[in-house]
Each structure stands twice: as C-alpha cells, then as structure tokens.
Amino acid sequence: MNKELRKAVIAGNWKMNKTPDEAKVLIEEIIPLVKDASCDVVVCVPYVDLCTAVAATKDTNIAVGAENCHWETSGAFTGEISPSMLTAMGVEYVIIGHSERRTYFGETDVTVNKRVCAALKEGLKVILCVGEYLEQREQGVTAELVAMQTKIALQGVAKEDLKHIIIAYEPVWAIGTGCTATAEQANEVCACIRKTLGNLYCEACANGVTIQYGGSMNAKNAAELLAQPDVDGGLIGGASLKAPDFAAIVAATQ
Ligand code: 13P
C-alpha cells in the first residue's frame, strides 16, 4: 500500500560509455519505447554527453542526470564539475556515492555527504548509492553498513529536502557480475534503508522516499525485483545501454 505513495523511478547509469554521437543515437532509440511510461525515466550519462542528452530529450518524458558532482561551486578543482554547472545545462539528477567512485576514486561517506548537500542546495535531485561488499554481507554487517552509509550521507539534509532524494541500494557484488540479488535480499535491505530513514526523520517521510535496487537488473529479472514492497525502481548499468532492455525494465514497473 505504501508503495502507492512513491513514484517508481528507473534510471540508467551509463558509466564511462558512449560518445556524444553514440549517446544521441541511443537516446533517440529509447524515446519512443518509453514514451508511455508510468514511472519516471532518467538517463545518467558521462559529462561530455550531457549537452547532447539534454537536447535529445527535450519535450520527452526522459530526464537527464550526471554521474557525480563536486561540492564546491567553482574554484581550483582541476577536472571537477560543480552542481551549478549541471543545472545551468538543464541537468536534473545526479548520482552520488556510486560504489565505483567509492572503490576507485577515494570517495568516502564524508565526501558523499558534502556532494549530496551541495547538489540539493543547487536544486538537483540526488540518486544516493549505498551497498555492501560480498565480504561484508558474509560478515553479517549489511544492515548496519547501509544504515551507516545512509545516515552519514544525509547529515544536514532537512526533512523537506528528502523529496529530492532517491536512494539506490546497490550490493557491490551484484554490480556488473550478472549475480543479481534475490528479490528477497533486495527487499530486505531496501526495507532496512527505509527503517533508517524513519528513525532519522519520520515514518511518513520514509514512506515517501523512492528506494531503487541496482546490480545486474535486466529485462528478465526486473519485474520480480520491482514487485517487492520496498523496491521502488532500479538503477541500471549494462542493460541501460541497450534500448529494448532498458525499455523492458521501464515497462516492468507497471
Ligand atoms: P549493472 O546493472 O551493470 O550491474 O550496474 C549496476 C550499477 O552499478 C548501476 O549504477
């Protein structure tokens, strides 16, 4: 029942794939396939594709997101992009704290929190990623870990801003491995995240937050995952690079 309180959101995370020309082709392929979607549809693309993606999705039901942003507005931060640069381009969403950023680029819970606050201040919608390594799952600390990641990431975030936050539960062991979490595993952790939000804010606030699952979600397994009571959408890597597969996942939210 609570699920009706939340908008389902399917977001593609293209990661480091597609040149601007390739991005245009893929988006033009996706547009007709998702035009009647009952959920929100987002494509998060590399920085160099943002301009193309914003232009290609104009007057469609597809929103565009970036895959990261810095926490400062401007300054001596070679290679970084600020939230205001994104909004100036017409970008609406930003992924923050993806496990690939945490693992390969030194992202910590503290820097994730700084980015979340800066992005919200600029009016971006945030897709905040949390999730455990296989070792941590085996050690039985998944619930504590995602609760901690969620708590630190949201420090200083006001209740009113929660409507601009989506949380993506992405178990690291499921990302790009074809080893999807079972629907029960996905739901269990998404429910833990919701409980954490309930404790931090209030139960009604928590019930309004869209929580996605990500990690080898595909056209075949999406419907079962998305039918879970606490799974409100998906953050899709590999399958978002194939228009028919991405569209099938979007359709599976119905
Ligand atoms: P895959 O769907 O390729 O496993 O990637 C998931 C992911 O990391 C989305 O952010």
Side-chain angles (χ1 to χ4, degrees), residues 16 24 58 102 104 195:
M16 195 171 74
K24 188 165 185 285
K58 192 169 185 284
R102 295 179 191 253
Y104 306 134
K195 194 164 166 231

Side-chain angles (χ1 to χ4, degrees), residues 69 83 86-87 91-94 119-120 122-126 164:
C69 68
L86 297 177
T87 52
V91 172
E92 289 179 60
Y93 286 80
V94 63
L120 289 173
E122 190 52 41
L124 287 162
K125 293 183 189 122
V126 170
H164 302 302

Side-chain angles (χ1 to χ4, degrees), residues 121-206:
K121 198 165 158 219
E122 190 52 41
L124 287 162
K125 293 183 189 122
V126 170
I127 301 177
L128 164 67
C129 301
V130 299
E132 82 288 2
Y133 288 98
L134 183 59
E135 192 185 20
Q136 293 165 327
R137 173 162 283 268
E138 287 169 354
Q139 287 162 342
V141 298
T142 300
E144 290 98 321
L145 187 95
V146 297
M148 185 183 79
Q149 290 174 329
T150 305
K151 263 186 177 169
I152 300 177
L154 295 180
Q155 277 191 4
V157 173
K159 199 189 261 191
E160 307 75 62
D161 277 330
L162 263 192
K163 59 179 175 294
H164 302 302
I165 297 266
I166 292 170
I167 300 187
Y169 166 54
E170 298 207 308
V172 184
W173 47 270
I175 295 177
T177 58
C179 180
T180 318
T182 64
E184 292 71 29
Q185 285 172 326
N187 192 63
E188 186 184 20
V189 183
C190 289
C192 283
I193 294 168
R194 202 175 303 286
K195 194 164 166 231
T196 304
L197 294 173
N199 293 337
L200 282 176
Y201 296 93
C202 68
E203 202 178 320
C205 313

